[in-house]
Amino acid sequence: MRSSVSELRAASKSRASSAFAHYIKRAFPIYLMILPGLLSIVLFKYLPMFGVVISFQKYSPFRGVWGSEWVGLDHFVRLFTEQQFVTLLKNTLILNLIDICFYFPAPILFALILGEVRLKWFKTTLQTVVYLPHFVSMIVVVGITVVLFAGEFGGVNLLLDSLGLPRYQGLNDPDHFRWIWLLQNIWKEVGWSAIIYLAALASIDPTLYEAAVMDGANRWRQIWHITLPSLAHVILILFILRLGSFIDVGFEHIFLLQNPLNLAVSDVFDTYIYRVGVQQGEFSYTTAVGLFKSVVGLVLVLSANAIAKRSGREGVY
């Protein structure tokens, strides 16, 4: 009896090993294709995370990580007691709130509008035209804006001048900086960001719309009761992921638009890190600033994900 049980177990193990070997053989090309991406993530995302230890040190390039003096939380205390901290936090939060209130819904709105276009050639042309700015460098985008609106030689200002109208000085006006930044973001990325919403729209069962039409629902009712609930999960996931960079508005765009006249509203953590860390060589201190941003983003993502799950929605994980 014992020998028959042992034989059955051995046969079961043999079948499992054979199935596993067959699976590995069949899926090996796929794992091989994934390998470069995984290596890239490990090399450029995970290994550099070791560098955050210098935020707890008085780092010296000559002594290295292991030879530099440990200072504990001194850099974090300095950050929170800096006079500029409140200004940096305020500017960063305002830009992010503007981004979430106006930029985040823009791709959803564009996808809904595009979904209602029935002429295929017009829809394709519109998609292509709106996608194209994504491939334009932000340097070019800001450069075009400067050429058009520069105080003395800008094309728009020369036109306004010839018409006897006052010149537009928005690039140097702190009150206009945030809206110029927002409009450039929307123009450049709204088409690209809408791709995922268009894919979600394409996955909606068309019989739902047919049933709604039979019930007499107009297009607004169909959007409200079918389209938006179908997009809710995608919107929630992208919103949670967006919160991960809530205190990170990016460096390049802000830096390119920044000048001494709008510095009061354009100075954010990223430009501060560049100015203090790169130009003044305070690597440990600015690493602490970067770590602070990352921790805030992580807390926001975890909190939003927990709230989403408690409310019965599917979170990011």
Side-chain angles (χ1 to χ4, degrees), residues 160-306:
L160 292 174
D161 202 26
S162 65
L163 296 174
L165 298 172
R167 295 188 171 209
Y168 177 73
Q169 303 292 343
L171 296 179
N172 298 326
D173 189 342
D175 294 333
H176 292 185
F177 168 80
R178 290 164 180 151
W179 303 110
I180 292 173
W181 172 82
L182 173 68
L183 290 175
Q184 287 179 339
N185 275 341
I186 291 177
W187 178 78
K188 189 174 185 302
E189 298 296 343
V190 70
W192 188 258
S193 301
I195 290 176
I196 193 164
Y197 298 111
L198 290 171
L201 284 176
S203 67
I204 299 175
D205 187 353
T207 58
L208 295 175
Y209 292 106
E210 293 171 5
V213 171
M214 294 294 288
D215 290 338
N218 58 27
R219 292 305 301 175
W220 289 109
R221 288 288 181 185
Q222 293 174 35
I223 292 173
W224 184 257
H225 292 290
I226 299 175
T227 307
L228 287 179
S230 301
L231 291 178
H233 178 61
V234 176
I235 294 172
L236 180 62
I237 288 178
L238 292 180
F239 181 73
I240 293 174
L241 293 176
R242 175 66 187 81
L243 289 179
S245 56
F246 184 74
I247 207 164
D248 185 1
V249 292
F251 167 74
E252 184 185 29
H253 191 188
I254 297 283
F255 182 72
L256 291 170
L257 284 174
Q258 194 173 70
N259 61 54
L261 296 176
N262 62 30
L263 189 63
V265 296
S266 66
D267 200 16
V268 294
F269 285 111
D270 299 283
T271 53
Y272 180 71
I273 288 172
Y274 171 75
R275 192 168 62 251
V276 177
V278 178
Q279 293 184 335
Q280 300 178 17
E282 297 198 43
F283 304 116
S284 292
Y285 173 58
T286 49
T287 302
V289 179
L291 184 57
F292 163 72
K293 287 171 46 190
S294 302
V295 170
V296 172
L298 178 63
V299 170
L300 287 174
V301 168
L302 294 178
S303 303
N305 192 66

Side-chain angles (χ1 to χ4, degrees), residues 14-172:
S14 176
R15 282 196 299 272
S17 301
S18 176
F20 180 73
H22 177 70
Y23 170 77
I24 291 295
K25 184 178 179 182
R26 184 166 56 86
F28 181 73
I30 298 175
Y31 286 115
L32 200 60
M33 286 190 286
I34 294 173
L35 187 61
L38 285 176
L39 288 176
S40 171
I41 291 172
V42 171
L43 286 174
F44 298 108
K45 297 293 182 183
Y46 283 92
L47 288 183
M49 288 173 68
F50 173 73
V52 299
V53 298
I54 71 171
S55 62
F56 303 97
Q57 294 180 323
K58 187 177 180 181
Y59 176 71
S60 167
F62 303 103
R63 294 181 179 179
V65 173
W66 303 114
S68 298
E69 178 187 354
W70 293 89
V71 295
L73 299 175
D74 286 2
H75 296 307
F76 295 93
V77 173
R78 176 187 167 186
L79 170 64
F80 298 135
T81 55
E82 280 277 1
Q83 289 185 344
Q84 291 171 286
F85 177 73
V86 175
T87 303
L88 295 172
L89 186 63
K90 176 186 169 187
N91 290 339
T92 304
L93 292 181
I94 289 176
L95 287 174
N96 270 297
L97 286 174
I98 290 175
D99 185 77
I100 286 179
C101 292
F102 296 98
Y103 172 74
F104 185 77
I108 303 170
L109 184 61
F110 176 69
L112 292 176
I113 293 172
L114 207 60
E116 295 301 313
V117 176
R118 293 291 174 261
L119 292 175
K120 190 174 180 181
W121 66 268
F122 181 69
K123 186 176 182 176
T124 307
T125 306
L126 184 60
Q127 272 185 283
T128 306
V129 169
V130 180
Y131 286 171
L132 281 178
H134 171 75
F135 301 100
V136 179
S137 166
M138 188 54 79
I139 297 174
V140 176
V141 174
V142 175
I144 292 172
T145 308
V146 170
V147 168
L148 288 175
F149 295 101
E152 294 184 6
F153 307 106
V156 174
N157 278 332
L158 288 176
L159 178 64
L160 292 174
D161 202 26
S162 65
L163 296 174
L165 298 172
R167 295 188 171 209
Y168 177 73
Q169 303 292 343
L171 296 179
N172 298 326

